[in-house]
Amino acid sequence: MYELPKTYDPHQVEERRYQWELARGDFEATIADDGRPRYCITIPPPNITGSLHMGHALNNAIHDVLLRWKRMQGYNVLCVPGTDHAGIATQNVVERALRQQEGISRHDLGREKFLERVWQWREQYGNTILMQFRKLGCSYDWRYTRFTLDPDYVDAVLEVFIRWWQDGHLYIGERVINWCPRCMTAISDIEIEQSDEAGKLYHIRYPFADGDGYVVVATTRPETMLGDVAVAVNPADARYTERVGKSLRLPLVERVIPLIADPYPDPTFGTGAVKVTPAHDPNDFEIGQRHNLPRPVIMHLDGTINTEALRESLNAHDNPYLQRYHGVDRYKAREMIVQDLEANGYLEKVEDYTVPLARCERCHTVIEPLLSEQWFCRMQSIAQPAIEVVQQGKIQFHPERYTEMYLHWMENIRDWCISRQLWWGHQIPAWYCMDCHPENFDESGKLLRRESPIVQKTAPDKCPRCGSTRLVRDPDVLDTWFSSAIWPHTVLGWPRQTDELRLFYPTDVLITAQEILYLWVARMVMTGLYFMGDIPFREVYIHATVLNKEGKRMSKSLGTGIDPLELIDKYGADALRWSLLQQAGMQQSIRFYEERVVSARNFANKVWNATRFVLLNLEGADLDALRVMGAQPADALDRWILSRLQRTIQTIEDALGRYCFDDGANALYEFIWSEVCDWYIEAVKPRLHDPARRAQTQAMLLYLFDRLLRLLHPYMPHMTQELWQAIGATDAEPSLGRARFPVADPALIDPDAEAEVAQVFEGIRAIRNLRAEVKITPGVAIPAVWVNPTDDASAERLQRHAATIGHLAWCQEVRFGQPTERALMNPADGAEVYLPIAGLVDVARERERLQKELAKLEAEIKQVQARLRNPQFVERAKPEVVQETRAQERDLLDRHARLKARLEQLQE
């Protein structure tokens, strides 16, 4: 037998066991139809800039539980890991390093040299997080590790772009998009952070051109008024019926603009009039399209004001305001414009106002809505099949509430802006001819406007229209989520027809966080159906967000984060996994703190010590013979533990199948800690010293621990594998990761044995409670206890277990019937138990203690009841506070009744 150290040290076990499993090939799938059912997951690829955080730890622990469980069930399991190139995040990291270390920008290097630096950075740091997944114990098939800029993956991305272009889904257009002036790129709606922040609402007078009064409009962004081309009012607003069509003079700019009627303005908000800036607000853009309004852009891409084109179009080169604002940061310009409006009598008032702001989730810069020429993908026709498969139940969401969220977004989907103004990523495969459209290029050959693109995978030799070789490639790259959207089928080999794709697509489940339901999940469904003609996965499990103890979002920058790697170094990966999985079910969020990992570490120690106890009592035994003997129950106690084992197996199977990992973990915890360790092992210890019962008891313990290690392995793989080598490994099943997962045997479920043993344990608890009341140390033997059954059936059951009662209640003798000596009584299930007090209890001192305790309780009861009799408290306090106070009263009265009864038992 393999000898176990006295104490469990995860640092001596986890890395060694993981490498052992890895070297054996335990994590590898068979790429052949070998008759086994197949199971496949493609993990959400983390950014190459990433380092393991608590969300990753939870997500990947869940992945690994399912993978290990399915392997043990006999499935041919393939899990494909990988990383995402993460366009904006990675480019930002490398640019920051260039600034800090060399004092240069990417523009100083140029595109080609900068990309070389990014690849160097990726080679050095890009696989860090995958190594951290290994430290967590993730049993992925590392042979299939993918990267979204691998050559084969790049080819697949280009294939998607070209097919969608040929099928008419892609187009070039001007739209108001979310622009990040710091990252200098477009940002999708679902890559921004929304928050309400304190700001100002500025009320500005727009005078009529004929001098007959003015219209007041309110705005939170007065700097954008430079691009106003109209003021709009609702056609139903009677205040403006006679004035619609009149001209207004734009303050400071002196542009003449119309007062127009449009259904967008809300007549009940403010004056009912809104300024229209089509190039800097998406709603204004729609108004502008309906009324064929111009769309002047008044901001540079870096967030500074640009009045050059405006002065040119208005022939207003001498306008002092437009000259002053040019090149000024947008927020400084806001201050200047407000001062000038006030100085010229245009500013009616300024109010404090809560402003809804959108920030870039990468750099937290306030997003600027900006008219920009971008590549777009038409989504409605692509989205419809993805709506139908969910409505038909072909893809199921867990928790089910996410189905409605998915459908709502998909049914209201907008065209997708797929281009990004970055260098790192999949460069758009489109070229433009400088001779066909010379007006679209500046003197240096820089592309100014996209027209008549030549779309193909490789650079064309010449223009197919005019034969020119002066071709310029589109400088933009694709949205990172464009390449991530094809992850499930591409990592399995698409567009090539591979064995992996044939055997393992569709995959079985996608496990992810709720914030990328739209960014990623929905888009994978769309691309899977479009290019594969089938769903990418059958189920989607959206796990909880990990919050800290106070319920706040974990963030290093906010000081609310917890580093999982530090916890692994301190307590081990198994303890971290268990502490997370114990809470992973259908919740929207979970609260996590270090004490949970301490508790998990204690549980691991409990399992280790219990297994070590069994091993010590198997010393010298023939384990093969004991395995052949198996579980042969000798009494109700054996039948009880076997029955509880079957129910635990059923609970775990059901829980894992429903993605309720918490239910499975809690069932295991209760079974192992309470039923096996606290009750069964303690109850059978005397048998191990009885030659007539030793072998049968050894076989029972060996069988029991064989099963519980199998059940626990998906949750705590390292420790259980180490214990398996000591107690369970055989030639047929050398590795626990490939051993068969237990299957419940309904024939072993024994409700009668469960009821009988539950009654016995209830009696033991009642005796232990009596001992605790009178301060008798646990484990110290007392002469006797009395058990007085209330019926014949209880008498028969309890007498059958007299030896177990005496052993576990730490008493030398168990007497049945009404006590013949002075004793304290506790009620139990089907009996009363009595503790004789002679020689054990100082009666006078105990009476005095009880009287003091009663007096203290009576004062507390009086105080609580006074609150409940106060009408103001009952009427004004929160209902839950009143309910809690009533529950407190009931608890105090119950304790008072019990103490009073105990005092009466001690009266002379």
Side-chain angles (χ1 to χ4, degrees), residues 20 31 132 158 302 318 350 358 410 529 536 562 595 802 837 892:
W20 181 80
I31 309 304
Q132 292 167 346
L158 298 180
D302 63 358
D318 296 331
V350 180
M410 292 289 281
L529 290 168
I562 300 174
E595 293 87 340
I837 59 177
L892 290 170

Side-chain angles (χ1 to χ4, degrees), residues 320-451:
Y321 300 114
L322 298 182
Q323 287 178 340
R324 286 177 54 218
Y325 306 148
H326 185 74
V328 177
D329 178 76
R330 54 184 168 161
Y331 293 117
K332 178 62 178 175
R334 178 181 297 179
E335 295 174 9
M336 295 167 64
I337 289 169
V338 169
Q339 290 172 2
D340 290 337
L341 288 170
E342 186 172 23
N344 287 277
Y346 294 120
L347 188 65
E348 181 159 291
K349 63 179 178 178
V350 180
E351 296 177 307
D352 290 334
Y353 192 72
T354 300
V355 182
L357 283 182
R359 292 182 179 271
C360 172
E361 68 174 2
R362 294 295 174 192
C363 67
H364 310 295
T365 302
V366 174
I367 292 298
E368 188 64 41
L370 188 67
L371 184 70
S372 178
E373 184 185 68
Q374 302 283 343
W375 282 88
F376 291 88
C377 181
R378 295 184 178 90
M379 298 307 298
Q380 284 193 334
S381 63
I382 298 174
Q384 189 55 39
I387 293 171
E388 292 170 2
V389 292
V390 172
Q391 289 174 332
Q392 294 163 4
K394 293 179 181 178
I395 296 177
Q396 296 188 342
F397 285 84
H398 308 273
E400 202 276 332
R401 61 180 175 269
Y402 288 106
T403 303
E404 186 177 344
M405 294 171 62
Y406 169 94
L407 290 174
H408 177 75
W409 186 76
M410 292 289 281
E411 287 164 354
N412 295 277
I413 199 166
R414 297 194 297 178
D415 286 359
W416 177 12
C417 176
I418 60 171
S419 49
R420 296 291 182 268
Q421 289 64 53
L422 303 169
W423 289 354
W424 174 246
H426 297 270
Q427 191 170 356
I428 291 174
W431 286 260
Y432 307 89
C433 178
M434 296 180 70
D435 290 325
C436 286
H437 297 283
E439 70 279 8
N440 293 341
F441 300 85
D442 68 10
E443 294 176 357
S444 67
K446 180 182 177 182
L447 180 68
L448 300 176
R449 184 170 179 272
R450 295 169 174 85
E451 192 173 356

Side-chain angles (χ1 to χ4, degrees), residues 2 4-5 8 13 17 604-612 615 705 708-709 712 716-729 736:
Y2 184 86
L4 292 176
Y8 175 55
V13 171
R17 276 299 158 207
N605 288 338
K606 185 83 168 179
V607 176
W608 182 271
N609 292 333
T611 309
R612 191 168 179 275
L615 275 172
F705 274 74
L708 71 83
L709 288 178
L712 186 56
M716 293 181 129
H718 307 95
M719 180 194 67
T720 52
Q721 184 70 266
E722 184 79 353
L723 294 175
W724 181 258
Q725 298 311 311
I727 200 171
L736 182 52

